[in-house]
CSV table of all heavy atoms in Angstrom, one decimal:
chain,number,residue,atom,x,y,z
M,1,MET,N,0.9,-1.2,0.0
M,1,MET,CA,0.0,-0.1,0.1
M,1,MET,C,0.9,1.2,0.0
M,1,MET,O,1.8,1.4,0.9
M,1,MET,CB,-0.9,0.0,1.2
M,1,MET,CG,-1.8,1.1,1.4
M,1,MET,SD,-3.0,0.9,2.7
M,1,MET,CE,-2.5,2.4,3.7
M,2,LYS,N,0.7,2.1,-0.9
M,2,LYS,CA,1.4,3.4,-1.1
M,2,LYS,C,0.8,4.3,0.0
M,2,LYS,O,-0.3,4.5,0.2
M,2,LYS,CB,1.2,3.9,-2.4
M,2,LYS,CG,2.1,5.2,-2.7
M,2,LYS,CD,2.0,5.6,-4.1
M,2,LYS,CE,2.7,6.9,-4.3
M,2,LYS,NZ,2.6,7.4,-5.8
M,3,LYS,N,1.8,5.2,0.6
M,3,LYS,CA,1.4,6.0,1.7
M,3,LYS,C,2.3,7.3,1.6
M,3,LYS,O,3.4,7.2,1.5
M,3,LYS,CB,1.8,5.4,3.0
M,3,LYS,CG,1.1,6.2,4.2
M,3,LYS,CD,1.4,5.3,5.5
M,3,LYS,CE,0.8,6.1,6.7
M,3,LYS,NZ,1.1,5.3,7.9
M,4,ASN,N,1.7,8.5,1.4
M,4,ASN,CA,2.3,9.7,1.3
M,4,ASN,C,2.6,10.2,2.8
M,4,ASN,O,1.8,10.5,3.6
M,4,ASN,CB,1.5,10.8,0.7
M,4,ASN,CG,1.3,10.5,-0.8
M,4,ASN,OD1,2.2,9.8,-1.4
M,4,ASN,ND2,0.3,11.0,-1.4
M,5,ILE,N,4.0,10.4,3.0
M,5,ILE,CA,4.4,10.8,4.3
M,5,ILE,C,5.2,12.1,4.1
M,5,ILE,O,6.1,12.3,3.2
M,5,ILE,CB,5.4,9.7,5.0
M,5,ILE,CG1,4.6,8.6,5.2
M,5,ILE,CG2,6.0,10.4,6.3
M,5,ILE,CD1,5.5,7.3,5.6
M,6,LEU,N,4.8,13.2,4.8
M,6,LEU,CA,5.5,14.5,4.8
M,6,LEU,C,6.5,14.5,5.9
M,6,LEU,O,6.2,14.4,7.1
M,6,LEU,CB,4.5,15.6,5.0
M,6,LEU,CG,5.2,17.0,5.0
M,6,LEU,CD1,5.9,17.4,3.9
M,6,LEU,CD2,3.9,18.1,5.3
M,7,LEU,N,7.9,14.6,5.6
M,7,LEU,CA,8.8,14.8,6.5
M,7,LEU,C,9.5,16.2,6.4
M,7,LEU,O,9.7,16.7,5.4
M,7,LEU,CB,10.1,13.8,6.1
M,7,LEU,CG,11.3,13.8,7.0
M,7,LEU,CD1,11.1,13.5,8.4
M,7,LEU,CD2,12.3,12.9,6.4
M,8,THR,N,9.4,16.9,7.7
M,8,THR,CA,9.8,18.2,7.7
M,8,THR,C,10.5,18.6,9.0
M,8,THR,O,10.6,17.6,9.8
M,8,THR,CB,8.6,19.1,7.5
M,8,THR,OG1,9.1,20.5,7.4
M,8,THR,CG2,7.7,19.1,8.7
M,9,THR,N,11.2,19.7,9.0
M,9,THR,CA,11.8,20.2,10.3
M,9,THR,C,11.0,21.2,11.0
M,9,THR,O,10.1,21.8,10.4
M,9,THR,CB,13.2,20.6,10.0
M,9,THR,OG1,13.1,21.8,9.2
M,9,THR,CG2,14.1,19.6,9.3
M,10,LEU,N,11.4,21.4,12.2
M,10,LEU,CA,10.6,22.5,13.0
M,10,LEU,C,11.7,23.2,13.8
M,10,LEU,O,12.5,22.8,14.4
M,10,LEU,CB,9.6,21.7,14.1
M,10,LEU,CG,8.9,22.6,14.9
M,10,LEU,CD1,7.9,23.4,14.1
M,10,LEU,CD2,8.1,21.9,16.0
M,11,ASP,N,11.6,24.6,13.7
M,11,ASP,CA,12.5,25.5,14.3
M,11,ASP,C,11.6,26.4,15.2
M,11,ASP,O,10.6,26.9,14.8
M,11,ASP,CB,13.3,26.3,13.3
M,11,ASP,CG,14.3,27.2,13.8
M,11,ASP,OD1,14.8,26.9,15.0
M,11,ASP,OD2,14.7,28.2,13.2
M,12,VAL,N,12.2,26.6,16.4
M,12,VAL,CA,11.6,27.6,17.2
M,12,VAL,C,11.8,28.9,16.8
M,12,VAL,O,12.9,29.4,16.8
M,12,VAL,CB,12.1,27.3,18.7
M,12,VAL,CG1,11.4,28.4,19.7
M,12,VAL,CG2,11.9,25.9,19.2
M,13,PRO,N,10.8,29.7,16.5
M,13,PRO,CA,11.0,31.0,16.0
M,13,PRO,C,11.5,32.0,17.1
M,13,PRO,O,11.1,31.9,18.3
M,13,PRO,CB,9.6,31.6,15.6
M,13,PRO,CG,8.6,30.6,16.2
M,13,PRO,CD,9.4,29.3,16.6
M,14,GLY,N,12.4,32.9,16.7
M,14,GLY,CA,12.9,33.9,17.6
M,14,GLY,C,11.9,35.0,17.8
M,14,GLY,O,10.9,35.1,17.1
M,15,ASN,N,12.1,35.9,18.7
M,15,ASN,CA,11.3,37.0,18.9
M,15,ASN,C,11.2,38.0,17.8
M,15,ASN,O,10.3,38.8,17.7
M,15,ASN,CB,11.6,37.8,20.2
M,15,ASN,CG,11.4,36.9,21.5
M,15,ASN,OD1,10.7,35.9,21.4
M,15,ASN,ND2,12.3,37.1,22.5
M,16,ASP,N,12.3,38.1,17.0
M,16,ASP,CA,12.3,39.0,15.9
M,16,ASP,C,11.6,38.7,14.6
M,16,ASP,O,11.6,39.3,13.6
M,16,ASP,CB,13.8,39.4,15.6
M,16,ASP,CG,14.5,38.1,15.1
M,16,ASP,OD1,14.0,37.1,15.3
M,16,ASP,OD2,15.6,38.3,14.5
M,17,ARG,N,10.9,37.5,14.6
M,17,ARG,CA,10.2,37.0,13.3
M,17,ARG,C,8.9,37.5,13.3
M,17,ARG,O,8.1,37.4,14.2
M,17,ARG,CB,10.3,35.6,13.3
M,17,ARG,CG,11.7,34.9,13.2
M,17,ARG,CD,11.7,33.6,12.7
M,17,ARG,NE,13.1,33.2,12.6
M,17,ARG,CZ,13.5,31.9,12.6
M,17,ARG,NH1,12.6,30.9,12.5
M,17,ARG,NH2,14.8,31.6,12.5
M,18,SER,N,8.5,38.2,12.2
M,18,SER,CA,7.1,38.5,11.9
M,18,SER,C,6.6,37.8,10.7
M,18,SER,O,7.4,37.2,9.8
M,18,SER,CB,7.1,40.0,11.7
M,18,SER,OG,7.9,40.4,10.7
M,19,PRO,N,5.3,37.6,10.6
M,19,PRO,CA,4.8,36.8,9.4
M,19,PRO,C,5.3,37.5,8.1
M,19,PRO,O,5.3,38.7,8.0
M,19,PRO,CB,3.3,37.0,9.7
M,19,PRO,CG,3.1,37.1,11.1
M,19,PRO,CD,4.2,38.0,11.4
M,20,ARG,N,5.4,36.7,7.1
M,20,ARG,CA,5.8,37.1,5.7
M,20,ARG,C,4.8,36.5,4.8
M,20,ARG,O,4.3,35.4,5.1
M,20,ARG,CB,7.3,36.7,5.3
M,20,ARG,CG,8.2,37.5,6.3
M,20,ARG,CD,9.6,37.3,5.8
M,20,ARG,NE,10.6,38.0,6.6
M,20,ARG,CZ,11.7,37.5,7.1
M,20,ARG,NH1,12.1,36.4,6.8
M,20,ARG,NH2,12.4,38.2,7.8
M,21,TYR,N,4.7,37.0,3.6
M,21,TYR,CA,3.9,36.4,2.6
M,21,TYR,C,4.8,35.7,1.5
M,21,TYR,O,5.7,36.2,1.2
M,21,TYR,CB,3.0,37.6,1.9
M,21,TYR,CG,2.0,38.1,2.9
M,21,TYR,CD1,2.4,39.2,3.5
M,21,TYR,CD2,0.8,37.5,3.0
M,21,TYR,CE1,1.4,39.9,4.3
M,21,TYR,CE2,-0.1,38.1,4.0
M,21,TYR,CZ,0.2,39.2,4.6
M,21,TYR,OH,-0.7,39.8,5.5
M,22,TYR,N,4.2,34.5,1.2
M,22,TYR,CA,5.0,33.7,0.2
M,22,TYR,C,4.0,33.3,-1.0
M,22,TYR,O,2.9,33.3,-0.8
M,22,TYR,CB,5.5,32.4,0.9
M,22,TYR,CG,6.5,32.6,1.9
M,22,TYR,CD1,6.1,32.9,3.3
M,22,TYR,CD2,7.9,32.5,1.6
M,22,TYR,CE1,7.1,33.0,4.2
M,22,TYR,CE2,8.7,32.7,2.6
M,22,TYR,CZ,8.4,33.0,3.9
M,22,TYR,OH,9.5,33.2,4.9
M,23,SER,N,4.7,33.0,-2.2
M,23,SER,CA,3.9,32.6,-3.3
M,23,SER,C,4.4,31.5,-3.9
M,23,SER,O,5.7,31.3,-4.0
M,23,SER,CB,3.7,33.8,-4.3
M,23,SER,OG,4.8,34.2,-4.8
M,24,ALA,N,3.8,30.7,-4.7
M,24,ALA,CA,4.1,29.6,-5.5
M,24,ALA,C,3.2,29.5,-6.8
M,24,ALA,O,2.1,29.7,-6.7
M,24,ALA,CB,4.0,28.2,-4.7
M,25,ARG,N,3.9,29.3,-7.8
M,25,ARG,CA,3.2,29.3,-9.1
M,25,ARG,C,2.3,28.0,-9.2
M,25,ARG,O,2.7,26.9,-8.8
M,25,ARG,CB,4.2,29.3,-10.4
M,25,ARG,CG,3.5,29.5,-11.7
M,25,ARG,CD,4.6,29.5,-12.8
M,25,ARG,NE,5.4,30.6,-12.7
M,25,ARG,CZ,5.1,31.8,-13.2
M,25,ARG,NH1,4.0,31.9,-14.0
M,25,ARG,NH2,5.9,32.9,-13.2
M,26,ASN,N,1.1,28.2,-9.7
M,26,ASN,CA,0.3,27.0,-10.0
M,26,ASN,C,-0.2,27.1,-11.5
M,26,ASN,O,0.3,28.1,-12.2
M,26,ASN,CB,-0.9,26.8,-9.1
M,26,ASN,CG,-1.9,28.0,-9.2
M,26,ASN,OD1,-2.1,28.6,-10.2
M,26,ASN,ND2,-2.5,28.4,-8.0
M,27,GLU,N,-1.1,26.2,-11.9
M,27,GLU,CA,-1.5,26.2,-13.4
M,27,GLU,C,-2.3,27.4,-13.7
M,27,GLU,O,-2.3,27.8,-14.9
M,27,GLU,CB,-2.2,25.0,-13.7
M,27,GLU,CG,-3.5,24.7,-13.0
M,27,GLU,CD,-3.2,23.9,-11.7
M,27,GLU,OE1,-2.1,23.8,-11.2
M,27,GLU,OE2,-4.2,23.5,-11.1
M,28,PHE,N,-2.9,28.1,-12.8
M,28,PHE,CA,-3.7,29.3,-13.0
M,28,PHE,C,-3.1,30.5,-12.7
M,28,PHE,O,-3.8,31.6,-12.8
M,28,PHE,CB,-5.1,29.2,-12.4
M,28,PHE,CG,-5.7,27.8,-12.8
M,28,PHE,CD1,-5.9,26.7,-12.0
M,28,PHE,CD2,-6.3,27.6,-14.1
M,28,PHE,CE1,-6.6,25.7,-12.3
M,28,PHE,CE2,-6.9,26.5,-14.4
M,28,PHE,CZ,-7.1,25.4,-13.6
M,29,GLY,N,-2.0,30.6,-11.9
M,29,GLY,CA,-1.4,31.8,-11.5
M,29,GLY,C,-0.5,31.6,-10.3
M,29,GLY,O,0.5,30.9,-10.4
M,30,TYR,N,-0.9,32.1,-9.1
M,30,TYR,CA,-0.1,31.9,-7.9
M,30,TYR,C,-0.9,31.4,-6.7
M,30,TYR,O,-2.1,31.9,-6.6
M,30,TYR,CB,0.6,33.1,-7.6
M,30,TYR,CG,1.8,33.3,-8.6
M,30,TYR,CD1,1.5,34.2,-9.5
M,30,TYR,CD2,3.0,32.9,-8.3
M,30,TYR,CE1,2.6,34.5,-10.5
M,30,TYR,CE2,4.1,33.3,-9.1
M,30,TYR,CZ,3.8,34.0,-10.2
M,30,TYR,OH,4.9,34.2,-11.1
M,31,ASP,N,-0.4,30.7,-5.9
M,31,ASP,CA,-0.9,30.4,-4.4
M,31,ASP,C,-0.2,31.3,-3.5
M,31,ASP,O,1.0,31.4,-3.6
M,31,ASP,CB,-0.7,28.9,-4.1
M,31,ASP,CG,-1.7,27.9,-4.9
M,31,ASP,OD1,-2.7,28.3,-5.3
M,31,ASP,OD2,-1.2,26.9,-5.2
M,32,TYR,N,-0.9,31.8,-2.5
M,32,TYR,CA,-0.3,32.7,-1.5
M,32,TYR,C,-0.6,32.2,-0.1
M,32,TYR,O,-1.6,31.6,0.1
M,32,TYR,CB,-0.9,34.1,-1.7
M,32,TYR,CG,-0.6,34.8,-3.0
M,32,TYR,CD1,-1.5,34.7,-4.1
M,32,TYR,CD2,0.6,35.4,-3.2
M,32,TYR,CE1,-1.2,35.4,-5.2
M,32,TYR,CE2,0.9,36.0,-4.4
M,32,TYR,CZ,0.0,35.9,-5.4
M,32,TYR,OH,0.3,36.5,-6.6
M,33,CYS,N,0.3,32.4,0.6
M,33,CYS,CA,0.1,32.1,2.2
M,33,CYS,C,1.1,33.0,3.0
M,33,CYS,O,2.0,33.6,2.6
M,33,CYS,CB,0.5,30.7,2.6
M,33,CYS,SG,2.2,30.2,2.6
M,34,GLU,N,0.6,33.1,4.3
M,34,GLU,CA,1.4,33.8,5.2
M,34,GLU,C,2.1,32.7,6.2
M,34,GLU,O,1.5,31.8,6.7
M,34,GLU,CB,0.4,34.8,6.1
M,34,GLU,CG,1.1,35.6,7.1
M,34,GLU,CD,0.0,36.4,7.9
M,34,GLU,OE1,-1.0,35.8,8.2
M,34,GLU,OE2,0.3,37.5,8.0
M,35,ALA,N,3.4,33.0,6.4
M,35,ALA,CA,4.2,32.1,7.3
M,35,ALA,C,5.2,32.8,8.0
M,35,ALA,O,5.8,33.9,7.5
M,35,ALA,CB,4.6,30.9,6.5
M,36,LEU,N,5.6,32.2,9.1
M,36,LEU,CA,6.9,32.8,9.8
M,36,LEU,C,8.1,32.3,9.2
M,36,LEU,O,9.2,33.1,9.4
M,36,LEU,CB,6.7,32.3,11.4
M,36,LEU,CG,5.6,32.8,12.1
M,36,LEU,CD1,5.7,32.2,13.6
M,36,LEU,CD2,5.6,34.4,12.2
M,37,GLN,N,8.2,31.3,8.6
M,37,GLN,CA,9.4,30.7,7.9
M,37,GLN,C,9.1,30.1,6.6
M,37,GLN,O,8.0,29.7,6.3
M,37,GLN,CB,10.0,29.6,8.8
M,37,GLN,CG,10.4,30.0,10.2
M,37,GLN,CD,10.7,28.9,11.0
M,37,GLN,OE1,10.7,27.7,10.7
M,37,GLN,NE2,11.2,29.2,12.3
M,38,SER,N,10.2,30.0,5.7
M,38,SER,CA,9.9,29.5,4.4
M,38,SER,C,9.6,28.0,4.4
M,38,SER,O,8.9,27.6,3.7
M,38,SER,CB,11.2,29.7,3.5
M,38,SER,OG,12.2,29.2,4.1
M,39,ILE,N,10.1,27.4,5.4
M,39,ILE,CA,9.8,25.9,5.5
M,39,ILE,C,8.4,25.7,5.9
M,39,ILE,O,7.7,24.8,5.5
M,39,ILE,CB,10.8,25.1,6.6
M,39,ILE,CG1,10.6,23.7,6.5
M,39,ILE,CG2,10.5,25.7,8.0
M,39,ILE,CD1,11.1,23.1,5.4
M,40,GLU,N,7.7,26.7,6.6
M,40,GLU,CA,6.3,26.6,7.0
M,40,GLU,C,5.5,26.8,5.8
M,40,GLU,O,4.5,26.1,5.5
M,40,GLU,CB,6.1,27.6,8.1
M,40,GLU,CG,4.5,27.7,8.4
M,40,GLU,CD,4.2,28.9,9.3
M,40,GLU,OE1,5.1,29.6,9.8
M,40,GLU,OE2,3.0,29.1,9.5
M,41,ALA,N,6.0,27.8,4.9
M,41,ALA,CA,5.2,28.1,3.7
M,41,ALA,C,5.3,26.9,2.7
M,41,ALA,O,4.3,26.6,2.2
M,41,ALA,CB,5.9,29.3,3.0
M,42,GLY,N,6.4,26.3,2.7
M,42,GLY,CA,6.6,25.1,1.8
M,42,GLY,C,5.7,23.9,2.3
M,42,GLY,O,5.1,23.2,1.4
M,43,THR,N,5.7,23.7,3.5
M,43,THR,CA,4.9,22.7,4.2
M,43,THR,C,3.4,23.0,4.0
M,43,THR,O,2.7,22.1,3.5
M,43,THR,CB,5.0,22.5,5.7
M,43,THR,OG1,6.4,22.4,5.9
M,43,THR,CG2,4.2,21.5,6.3
M,44,LYS,N,2.9,24.2,4.0
M,44,LYS,CA,1.5,24.4,3.8
M,44,LYS,C,1.2,24.2,2.3
M,44,LYS,O,0.1,23.7,2.0
M,44,LYS,CB,1.3,26.0,4.0
M,44,LYS,CG,1.2,26.3,5.5
M,44,LYS,CD,1.0,27.8,5.6
M,44,LYS,CE,0.8,28.0,7.2
M,44,LYS,NZ,0.5,29.6,7.4
M,45,LEU,N,2.1,24.5,1.3
M,45,LEU,CA,1.9,24.2,-0.1
M,45,LEU,C,1.8,22.8,-0.3
M,45,LEU,O,0.8,22.3,-1.0
M,45,LEU,CB,3.0,24.8,-0.8
M,45,LEU,CG,3.0,24.6,-2.4
M,45,LEU,CD1,2.0,25.3,-3.0
M,45,LEU,CD2,4.4,25.0,-3.1
M,46,MET,N,2.5,22.0,0.3
M,46,MET,CA,2.5,20.5,0.1
M,46,MET,C,1.2,20.0,0.7
M,46,MET,O,0.6,19.1,0.0
M,46,MET,CB,3.7,19.8,0.8
M,46,MET,CG,5.0,20.1,0.1
M,46,MET,SD,5.1,19.5,-1.6
M,46,MET,CE,4.8,17.7,-1.3
M,47,LEU,N,0.7,20.5,1.7
M,47,LEU,CA,-0.5,20.0,2.3
M,47,LEU,C,-1.7,20.3,1.5
M,47,LEU,O,-2.8,19.6,1.6
M,47,LEU,CB,-0.7,20.6,3.7
M,47,LEU,CG,0.3,19.9,4.8
M,47,LEU,CD1,0.2,20.7,6.1
M,47,LEU,CD2,0.1,18.6,5.0
M,48,VAL,N,-1.6,21.5,0.7
M,48,VAL,CA,-2.7,21.9,-0.1
M,48,VAL,C,-2.7,21.0,-1.5
M,48,VAL,O,-3.8,20.7,-2.0
M,48,VAL,CB,-2.6,23.3,-0.4
M,48,VAL,CG1,-3.5,23.7,-1.6
M,48,VAL,CG2,-3.0,24.2,0.7
M,49,ARG,N,-1.5,20.7,-1.9
M,49,ARG,CA,-1.5,20.0,-3.3
M,49,ARG,C,-1.4,18.4,-3.2
M,49,ARG,O,-1.8,17.9,-4.2
M,49,ARG,CB,-0.1,20.5,-3.9
M,49,ARG,CG,-0.4,22.0,-4.4
M,49,ARG,CD,0.8,22.5,-5.1
M,49,ARG,NE,0.7,23.8,-5.5
M,49,ARG,CZ,1.5,24.5,-6.2
M,49,ARG,NH1,2.6,24.0,-6.6
M,49,ARG,NH2,1.3,25.8,-6.5
M,50,VAL,N,-0.9,17.9,-2.1
M,50,VAL,CA,-0.7,16.4,-2.1
M,50,VAL,C,-1.4,15.9,-0.9
M,50,VAL,O,-1.3,16.3,0.2
M,50,VAL,CB,0.8,16.1,-2.0
M,50,VAL,CG1,1.1,14.6,-1.9
M,50,VAL,CG2,1.6,16.8,-3.1
M,51,PRO,N,-2.3,14.9,-1.1
M,51,PRO,CA,-2.9,14.2,0.0
M,51,PRO,C,-1.8,13.5,1.0
M,51,PRO,O,-1.1,12.7,0.4
M,51,PRO,CB,-3.9,13.1,-0.5
M,51,PRO,CG,-3.5,13.1,-2.0
M,51,PRO,CD,-2.6,14.2,-2.3
M,52,VAL,N,-1.8,13.7,2.1
M,52,VAL,CA,-0.8,13.2,3.1
M,52,VAL,C,-1.5,12.4,4.1
M,52,VAL,O,-2.5,12.9,4.8
M,52,VAL,CB,0.1,14.4,3.8
M,52,VAL,CG1,0.9,13.9,4.8
M,52,VAL,CG2,0.8,15.2,2.7
M,53,GLU,N,-0.9,11.2,4.4
M,53,GLU,CA,-1.5,10.3,5.5
M,53,GLU,C,-0.8,10.5,6.8
M,53,GLU,O,-1.3,10.2,7.8
M,53,GLU,CB,-1.4,8.9,5.0
M,53,GLU,CG,-2.4,8.5,3.9
M,53,GLU,CD,-2.0,9.0,2.5
M,53,GLU,OE1,-0.8,9.0,2.1
M,53,GLU,OE2,-3.0,9.4,1.8
M,54,GLU,N,0.5,11.0,6.7
M,54,GLU,CA,1.1,11.0,8.0
M,54,GLU,C,2.2,12.1,7.9
M,54,GLU,O,2.8,12.4,6.8
M,54,GLU,CB,2.0,9.8,8.3
M,54,GLU,CG,2.7,9.6,9.6
M,54,GLU,CD,3.1,8.2,9.8
M,54,GLU,OE1,2.9,7.3,9.1
M,54,GLU,OE2,3.9,8.1,10.8
M,55,ILE,N,2.4,12.9,9.0
M,55,ILE,CA,3.4,14.0,9.0
M,55,ILE,C,4.5,13.6,10.1
M,55,ILE,O,4.1,13.4,11.3
M,55,ILE,CB,2.7,15.3,9.4
M,55,ILE,CG1,1.7,15.7,8.2
M,55,ILE,CG2,3.9,16.4,9.5
M,55,ILE,CD1,0.9,16.9,8.7
M,56,LEU,N,5.8,13.7,9.7
M,56,LEU,CA,6.9,13.5,10.6
M,56,LEU,C,7.6,14.8,10.8
M,56,LEU,O,8.0,15.3,9.8
M,56,LEU,CB,7.8,12.2,10.3
M,56,LEU,CG,7.1,10.9,9.9
M,56,LEU,CD1,8.1,9.9,9.4
M,56,LEU,CD2,6.6,10.4,11.4
M,57,ILE,N,7.8,15.2,12.0
M,57,ILE,CA,8.5,16.5,12.3
M,57,ILE,C,9.7,16.2,13.1
M,57,ILE,O,9.6,15.6,14.1
M,57,ILE,CB,7.6,17.5,13.0
M,57,ILE,CG1,6.3,17.8,12.1
M,57,ILE,CG2,8.4,18.8,13.2
M,57,ILE,CD1,5.2,18.6,12.9
M,58,ILE,N,10.9,16.7,12.6
M,58,ILE,CA,12.1,16.6,13.3
M,58,ILE,C,12.6,17.9,13.8
M,58,ILE,O,12.6,19.0,13.2
M,58,ILE,CB,13.2,16.1,12.4
M,58,ILE,CG1,12.8,14.7,11.7
M,58,ILE,CG2,14.6,16.0,13.0
M,58,ILE,CD1,13.7,14.2,10.7
M,59,GLY,N,12.8,17.9,15.2
M,59,GLY,CA,13.2,19.2,15.7
M,59,GLY,C,13.7,19.0,17.2
M,59,GLY,O,13.6,17.9,17.7
M,60,ASP,N,14.3,20.1,17.7
M,60,ASP,CA,14.8,20.0,19.1
M,60,ASP,C,13.5,20.1,20.0
M,60,ASP,O,12.6,20.7,19.8
M,60,ASP,CB,15.6,21.2,19.4
M,60,ASP,CG,17.0,21.1,18.8
M,60,ASP,OD1,17.4,20.0,18.4
M,60,ASP,OD2,17.6,22.1,18.5
M,61,GLU,N,13.7,19.4,21.2
M,61,GLU,CA,12.7,19.5,22.3
M,61,GLU,C,12.9,20.7,23.1
M,61,GLU,O,14.0,20.9,23.6
M,61,GLU,CB,12.7,18.2,23.2
M,61,GLU,CG,11.6,18.2,24.2
M,61,GLU,CD,11.7,16.9,25.1
M,61,GLU,OE1,12.4,16.1,24.7
M,61,GLU,OE2,11.0,17.0,26.1
M,62,VAL,N,12.0,21.5,23.2
M,62,VAL,CA,12.1,22.8,23.9
M,62,VAL,C,11.1,22.6,25.2
M,62,VAL,O,9.9,22.4,25.0
M,62,VAL,CB,11.6,24.1,23.1
M,62,VAL,CG1,11.7,25.2,24.0
M,62,VAL,CG2,12.5,24.2,21.8
M,63,LEU,N,11.8,22.9,26.3
M,63,LEU,CA,11.0,22.9,27.5
M,63,LEU,C,10.8,24.2,28.2
M,63,LEU,O,11.3,25.2,28.0
M,63,LEU,CB,11.7,22.0,28.6
M,63,LEU,CG,12.0,20.5,28.1
M,63,LEU,CD1,13.1,19.9,29.1
M,63,LEU,CD2,10.9,19.8,28.0
C-alpha cells in the first residue's frame, strides 16, 4: 500500500520574526500564504497540493 508521508523540520521562532507572505506558481497563477518561515510556507503548499496520510516532524525538544 502506497502512503504519502511528509517529513519536515521544526524550528523555534525567535522574537524578531514576523509573518511574511509567500507565493508559489500554479497552473492558473499563484498560490499565496502567510508564514513565519519559508519551511512553513513550503509545508503548507505541500498539504494543499498532495494528500498526506502522515506527518513526521524533526526538531529540538524545547521545555
Side-chain angles (χ1 to χ4, degrees):
M1 176 171 125
K2 184 177 176 179
K3 187 175 184 180
N4 290 332
I5 299 173
L6 174 62
L7 175 63
T8 187
T9 61
L10 180 65
D11 184 24
V12 177
N15 293 336
D16 61 340
R17 294 197 182 164
S18 58
R20 296 188 178 134
Y21 294 95
Y22 294 87
S23 66
R25 188 180 295 267
N26 65 32
E27 63 271 11
F28 302 111
Y30 288 90
D31 291 323
Y32 298 94
C33 77
E34 183 179 42
L36 296 178
Q37 303 172 353
S38 59
I39 189 72
E40 178 187 355
T43 301
K44 287 179 177 181
L45 177 66
M46 289 300 297
L47 290 172
V48 168
R49 294 185 177 181
V50 178
V52 174
E53 286 77 38
E54 189 172 348
I55 300 172
L56 299 175
I57 302 171
I58 299 171
D60 290 335
E61 182 177 353
V62 178
L63 301 175

